Amino acid sequence: MEFYRAHVLVCGGFPCVAAGCRAVRGEIERSVKEHGLEREVRIVETGCLGPCDLGPIVVVYPEGTVYSRVSVDDVSEIVGEHLMKGRPVRRLEYTERLPSVSQADHKRPDYFGIQERIVLENVGLIDPDSIEEYIARDGYLGAGMALTSMSPDEVISAIKASGLRGRGGAAFPTGVKLGFTARVEADQKYIICNADEGEPGTFKDRLILEGDPHKVIEGMIILGYSVGATMGYIYIRGEYYLSIERIERAIAEARRYGLLGHDLFGSGFSFDIEVKKGAGAYVCGEETALIESMEGKRGEPRQKPPYPGTCGLWGKPTVVNNVETIANVPPIVRNGADWFRQFGTPTSPGTKVYTLTGDVNNKGLIEVPMGITLREVIYGVGGGIPGGRRFKMAQTGGTAGGCLSETHLDIPMDYESLQETGSALGSGALLIIDDSHCVVDIACALLRFFEHESCGQCTPCREGTRRLHDIFRKTRELAATEKDLKLARELAGVMQASSLCALGQSVAVPLFTIMDHYADEIEAHLEGRCPAGVCRPNPANADESAYETLQAGNGIR
Amino acid sequence: MLKMRGPVGPEGSGVVCECDDVFLTEVQRVVSVYKERPEDLVQALHDVQSLRNYLPREALRVVARTLDVPESRVYGVATFYSMFSTSPRGRHIIRICESAPCHVAGAAEIINSLLNELGVEMGGTTSDGIFTVETSSCLGVCGVAPAIMIDDTVYGNLVSEDLPAVLRRYR
Ligand SMILES: Cc1cc2nc3c(=O)[nH]c(=O)nc-3n(C[C@H](O)[C@H](O)[C@H](O)COP(=O)(O)O)c2cc1C
Ligand code: FES
């Protein structure tokens, strides 16, 4: 390998591509050449470095200097000063530091202080298009160990012992799920990596796939070996153009290296992976809808049981796991269950990748141990609320997750503790909302989403999401009555009990938590007042009675 | 083979589809790799749509015949997924997200400015046939919200004043 004096990492995660990192990278290449540094300085396009809001981000190693919001015009200064003369450009420097490559892997300073990186251990540090860099960081070691020195049962036992639970939302213990499928006799079994990621506010799976695609491939090989599946599919959102491109390149590379295909590691075990594109439907993230879609049908969820673990794709036993769950598998196999259990809490071991959005200073991707508090996330890693505003509400787990108020700031973020508040960790989306927003308006945004994404197959969900949206729109127009809100509760309760899939069942989660934690604020709307000053009456229903008559005409009470 | 013209986009939308033999031959060529593989229906529709940015009825018929699935099912799938359209669209698709994280970041204002700038309603196509504006549930770019996606390119951290310059690149 050639030796380079300095490495310049340019963030090529999706948000940064959006912010213009391609142009910046091109300019750096040009400028480095112009200064005759191309044999001394290596330019690497990496996955997401985390603080997406600050892109494009450029990191110069070995110093580990981070430059944020770099523009094309800044490049000549970085190259001329820093790379030529060794003087970092203070003006552009992001005040908190990223880890340096040479540093120990699991303890990071400052902004990264409370972060622990297991899933994201390579993201932002390696070139995702280079299988060699992945291998150099212990890549494919876990798969090699599993296939050559462990039996499938031993692999499953290790994953069971680690206590890993599904990161896709339902939090089902991964080892147990593998155990079910391993026990079923079948001529063919499948592994599906669920990369449909449609939950608003979630973009972790995209950044894992774009930043460290080989880790997902390695995880799938291990899962395939453990249950006896020889074929894997990655079902990925059609809109994730860059992720599709990267993962397809990575699969081709892995095949070229003999890490996918026949007789892996000389163990006699064969495994291959294919990518399937989705076409824009939130419900296809639900595992049985996803399988329907993969069979070339409308993405309508199936009745469960039978569960995919025994009867999935083409009626064969199928393990469906989230991208993040799968990315946890290679480190667990490599380092052992005890190592994994030193992070997080006894019932929720490991870390969780969150995507932080909304009214918070540092938006983006973080990975922290399970069990740290919401306050630590918002005010520590998140850097607090901008503009001197006050924290009002946090929604955990995406649109289908629950809302937490100020009284919940010190609750540990793990599966059990959040469940007690009526919320859930879900997909890892963390939406922070300050006091300039009105909860009724937010509820409308959530309900609009559900109305749009209901697949229409079952009545409680199809009709319920519409009626709930109507009621909350009416509340936002300051025209709702007590009776309307009672009806909303009843409706959501019926949906929770009788919808076919978790989409309809889970509408009650955000709705009830908002209605419970912000009862006063909602009450005020019934009296014609919006405390946050966001909601306004609709002049069209100035005549209350005419509105009521109209509603009655529509067959609504 | 049946020669047909249209369907034509909404009046004044400037979008015309000519489902002529040349186009249908092209459709045939694109889907032939999925011959008798009904499971690849979604992938086949992606490929067909990339030709004209939408799925004309005649093209769906070709897909049905080639993959050996009932036309009703092809139509059912084509209308289920939000990335597919069975009516004509502009040359570039602008997707904009109005889910809660984007809403909190001020997406409503960007949406209004965008629709004003283009002189269309949500879901509409500009009269010059260049843009169609659609909502999408989440584009996975919430970290740089508010954002829009034009075809496969994302523009993030937008303020209304940025829009004219962004749109100019496509005109
Ligand atoms: C409406 C709906 C949407 C879902 N979307 C996703 C998704 O985008 N990604 C995902 O991994 N799981 C999603 N799930 C959960 C899956 O059904 C399934 O539980 C998960 O993929 C299992 O993987 P895990 O055990 O690794 O979490 C969704 C569930 C529902 C009901
Ligand atoms: S919520 Fe709008 S892009 Fe994710």
Side-chain angles (χ1 to χ4, degrees), chain A residues 76-147:
Chain A
S76 63
E77 198 175 338
I78 295 178
V79 176
E81 284 294 305
H82 193 157
L83 296 178
M84 284 295 283
K85 304 182 187 146
R87 287 198 295 249
V89 184
R90 299 280 171 228
R91 172 177 74 81
L92 299 168
E93 209 173 321
Y94 181 52
T95 41
E96 321 224 36
R97 299 194 130 210
L98 286 160
S100 90
V101 182
S102 57
Q103 221 160 2
D105 277 335
H106 300 295
K107 286 280 168 262
R108 300 283 156 80
D110 308 336
Y111 160 78
F112 289 84
I114 51 173
Q115 297 206 49
E116 290 288 355
R117 297 200 150 198
I118 296 175
V119 173
L120 305 177
E121 60 186 350
N122 299 327
V123 175
L125 296 177
I126 64 168
D127 175 356
D129 283 335
S130 159
I131 192 170
E132 292 90 353
E133 288 195 20
Y134 179 68
I135 291 171
R137 289 178 65 82
D138 289 345
Y140 290 104
L141 182 64
M145 285 167 63
L147 269 57

Side-chain angles (χ1 to χ4, degrees), chain A residues 91 96 121 123 244 279 303 327 352 403 515 529:
Chain A
R91 172 177 74 81
E96 321 224 36
E121 60 186 350
V123 175
I244 295 171
Q303 191 90 42
K352 182 78 193 80
C403 295
M515 290 176 87
R529 226 164 24 84

Side-chain angles (χ1 to χ4, degrees), chain A residues 28 94 96 159-161 289 295 393 403 405 424 445 448 456 548 550:
Chain A
I28 296 179
Y94 181 52
E96 321 224 36
I159 295 173
K160 268 190 192 154
E295 293 182 358
M393 179 165 108
C403 295
S405 68
R448 182 180 53 211
E548 292 288 354
L550 189 72

Side-chain angles (χ1 to χ4, degrees), chain A residues 14-19 52-53 55 69 197-203 206 235 237-241 274-284 289 292-300 314 356-359 363-364 395 399 431-433 437 441-442 445-446 448-449 452-453 455 476, chain B residues 34 37-47 49-50 67 69 72-84 93 95 97-108 111 135-157 169:
Chain A
F14 205 78
C16 281
V17 171
C52 305
D53 202 24
R69 296 222 166 94
E197 190 158 67
E199 192 66 74
T202 316
F203 45 99
R206 140 181 269 157
Y235 184 92
R237 281 192 69 170
E239 293 97 335
Y240 279 13
Y241 298 94
E274 226 179 88
V275 174
K276 293 275 178 187
K277 275 192 286 182
Y282 167 67
V283 74
C284 283
E292 286 283 301
S293 177
M294 279 189 49
E295 293 182 358
K297 296 183 230 152
R298 291 162 69 91
E300 288 171 350
W314 309 117
L356 212 50
T357 59
D359 302 315
K363 290 195 249 183
Q395 191 181 24
T399 305
L431 172 61
I432 312 300
I433 294 168
H437 297 280
D441 182 52
I442 302 286
L446 301 177
R448 182 180 53 211
F449 171 81
H452 185 254
E453 294 299 337
C455 78
R476 188 173 60 182
Chain B
Y34 303 110
R37 286 175 55 185
E39 70 272 24
D40 283 331
L41 181 51
V42 174
Q43 320 298 317
L45 292 178
H46 268 301
D47 292 357
Q49 182 163 276
S50 68
L67 274 69
V69 276
S72 57
R73 196 172 120 198
V74 176
Y75 186 74
V77 169
T79 50
F80 183 84
Y81 297 93
S82 70
M83 284 180 85
F84 296 143
I93 313 294
R95 295 197 179 88
C97 162
E98 47 178 347
S99 292
C102 283
H103 182 74
V104 169
I111 293 178
T135 53
S136 162
S137 283
C138 171
L139 299 163
V141 292
C142 341
V144 290
I148 63 172
M149 194 160 169
I150 305 186
D151 302 329
D152 57 0
T153 309
V154 171
Y155 300 89
N157 287 333
R169 299 187 194 183

Side-chain angles (χ1 to χ4, degrees), chain A residues 166-168 177 194 197-198 282 285-287 320-322 325 502-503:
Chain A
R167 305 291 196 239
K177 186 153 88 179
N194 187 344
E197 190 158 67
Y282 167 67
E286 200 281 335
E287 52 194 11
V320 183
N321 271 131
N322 174 257
T325 315
L503 192 153

Side-chain angles (χ1 to χ4, degrees), chain A residues 23-24 26-32 34-35 37 67 70-85 87 89 91-92:
Chain A
V24 169
E27 182 61 20
I28 296 179
E29 272 170 7
R30 203 195 55 75
S31 180
V32 162
E34 187 182 286
H35 286 88
L37 294 175
Y67 297 116
V70 176
S71 75
V72 171
D73 300 335
D74 297 328
V75 168
S76 63
E77 198 175 338
I78 295 178
V79 176
E81 284 294 305
H82 193 157
L83 296 178
M84 284 295 283
K85 304 182 187 146
R87 287 198 295 249
V89 184
R91 172 177 74 81
L92 299 168

